[in-house]
Amino acid sequence: MTKAPIRVAVTGAAGQIGYALLPRIASGQMFGPDQPVILQMIEIPMEKPMAALEGVAMELDDCAFPLLQGMVVTSDPALGFRDANWALLVGSKPRGAGMERGDLIAENGPIFTGQGRAINDNAASDVRVAVVGNPCNTNALICMHSAPDVPDERFSAMTRLDQNRAQAQLAAKAGVATTEVKNTLIWGNHSATQVPDVYHATIAGRPANEVIPDAAWLEGDFLEAVQKRGAAIIKARGLSSAASAANALVNHVRDLTMATPAGQWNSVCVKSDGSYSISEGLIASFPVRSDGKGTWEIVADLTLNPFLEGKIAATVKELEGERELVKDLL
Ligand code: NAX
């Protein structure tokens, strides 16, 4: 029997991540090869992005994807989020010249208040929300607080790209395929303070820090390479990560919808329950397992060494500072 379509709302749909993401969703890579989808693509009400979005929709038409059962092209969030089962919040205001991180947070706050309300009032009762637009943790926090009828555990933000970057770096250093590297993990904020954790990762079934017995590299160059990979891509390409970000969002949604293999986890920014000394209520990256039926849990009882404890304290401090900046919106 044919499945009912999933309605997927995507903001920033005419942007570069949107362009790489939409065909992946429409071809079945996010929700599966037998799951029809309807794409509800949302942009800002300005001539250029809306014209670009029309062009994206034309290209999606031209792919004749068997699973794509419909498209909505709109600048109206109420229409864009109507009956949505997933809301992928990719669009946000980019950092302008001379803008501090605090300015960026303040500028983006109202966008995510409005989108949270629109999701609250229009989306399907089972809606789940994934935030990519930066600063994604705090944007997700604002969105969650603006959608009181949607349970908090339905909100997430993305650190899967950072996890994938860490996995690729470890595989390259160890000279193995990426599939041999498991349980790389990101803690905290999706920012330069994020904490890539190799102390719980394995390479070919052995602890990563035994396979790569080079603490100076693991706590130095490796950490920096992951934290600063986004900047390195911008320097090389003149544009920020798009294909890898779209790929990570496909992974992120699958991480939350499919059962996580035994003994494994993925990095997902979710509402903190206070574990690992991460202040309760923050949206922070944790090791997360999904049961494949819509429920996830934070993996409990990992042991943190003093190095990780110190780094996690710093990223938590940054997240607390961001929460303080937007406290009027919460
Ligand atoms: P682009 O500037 O190419 O596209 C963003 C699009 O969002 C634009 O078309 C813009 O018109 C639209 N937009 C802005 N405000 C909107 C609103 N209120 N409603 C609907 N659409 C809106 O950026 P792109 O490269 O696609 O990146 C999008 C976001 O992802 C940025 O905030 C970026 O910083 C963030 N990223 C997050 C990553 C993560 O791992 N969490 C990694 C990749 C990326 O840097």
Side-chain angles (χ1 to χ4, degrees):
M1 207 177 73
T2 317
K3 291 180 171 175
I6 290 181
R7 290 182 173 269
V8 190
V10 179
T11 68
Q16 48 153 6
I17 294 177
Y19 191 72
L21 175 70
L22 293 163
R24 304 275 310 258
I25 304 173
S27 64
Q29 292 179 53
M30 186 175 271
F31 296 104
D34 61 348
Q35 176 58 62
V37 291
I38 295 173
L39 287 173
Q40 306 191 164
M41 302 176 284
I42 307 169
E43 261 295 339
I44 45 176
M46 287 174 72
E47 203 180 321
K48 222 173 149 188
M50 285 309 292
L53 188 53
E54 292 287 353
V56 173
M58 285 159 68
E59 285 207 59
L60 288 166
D61 267 336
D62 295 348
C63 293
F65 286 120
L67 293 171
L68 184 56
Q69 287 200 352
M71 284 189 274
V72 173
V73 169
T74 185
S75 60
D76 174 4
L79 182 61
F81 291 121
R82 189 157 301 154
D83 299 326
N85 307 104
W86 271 92
L88 307 179
L89 308 186
V90 178
S92 70
K93 200 159 184 174
R95 190 186 287 210
M99 222 170 158
E100 298 295 330
R101 192 172 167 85
D103 302 330
L104 183 72
I105 291 165
E107 294 252 344
N108 272 291
I111 294 177
F112 288 85
T113 310
Q115 290 183 352
R117 285 192 193 127
I119 290 168
N120 191 71
D121 296 347
N122 297 283
S125 59
D126 66 351
V127 68
R128 299 178 81 174
V129 183
V131 181
V132 173
N134 279 322
C136 64
N137 297 59
T138 296
N139 289 341
L141 183 73
I142 295 168
C143 192
M144 181 178 83
H145 280 269
S146 308
D149 300 339
V150 180
D152 291 353
E153 62 271 16
R154 305 267 193 82
F155 291 83
S156 63
M158 188 174 91
T159 40
R160 189 47 143 93
L161 177 55
D162 309 294
Q163 174 184 319
N164 290 349
R165 287 167 171 166
Q167 186 180 348
Q169 295 286 329
L170 290 178
K173 181 79 171 175
V176 300
T178 51
T179 46
E180 296 289 336
V181 182
K182 302 235 180 335
N183 288 351
T184 47
L185 172 57
I186 306 295
W187 296 95
N189 202 0
H190 168 71
S191 75
T193 68
Q194 65 175 263
V195 187
D197 172 358
V198 290
Y199 292 103
H200 298 96
T202 58
I203 300 176
R206 291 173 54 211
N209 59 328
E210 276 178 34
V211 178
I212 305 171
D214 182 349
W217 184 80
L218 289 171
E219 295 181 1
D221 289 352
F222 163 77
L223 201 85
E224 254 195 34
V226 178
Q227 288 174 331
K228 297 189 176 162
R229 186 70 167 181
I233 303 278
I234 293 175
K235 190 163 174 240
R237 229 169 68 84
L239 289 166
S240 56
S241 324
S244 56
N247 179 65
L249 185 53
V250 172
N251 296 154
H252 174 100
V253 170
R254 290 180 72 79
D255 292 344
L256 289 170
T257 48
M258 317 270 293
T260 312
Q264 295 184 30
W265 57 70
N266 286 296
S267 312
V268 186
C269 304
V270 291
K271 184 180 166 188
S272 174
D273 58 359
S275 54
Y276 300 107
S277 304
I278 298 179
S279 317
E280 204 172 334
L282 289 175
I283 300 279
S285 187
F286 282 98
V288 165
R289 287 184 49 77
S290 156
D291 67 358
K293 297 175 195 150
T295 305
W296 54 260
E297 60 175 10
I298 294 174
V299 175
D301 301 328
L302 296 183
T303 307
L304 303 180
N305 64 21
F307 173 77
L308 289 173
E309 277 177 348
K311 293 281 177 197
I312 291 173
T315 195
V316 168
K317 196 166 172 224
E318 183 183 52
L319 281 170
E320 287 171 345
E322 291 186 13
R323 179 167 65 182
E324 182 62 24
L325 278 174
V326 300
K327 63 175 191 276
D328 294 345
L329 303 178
L330 304 179

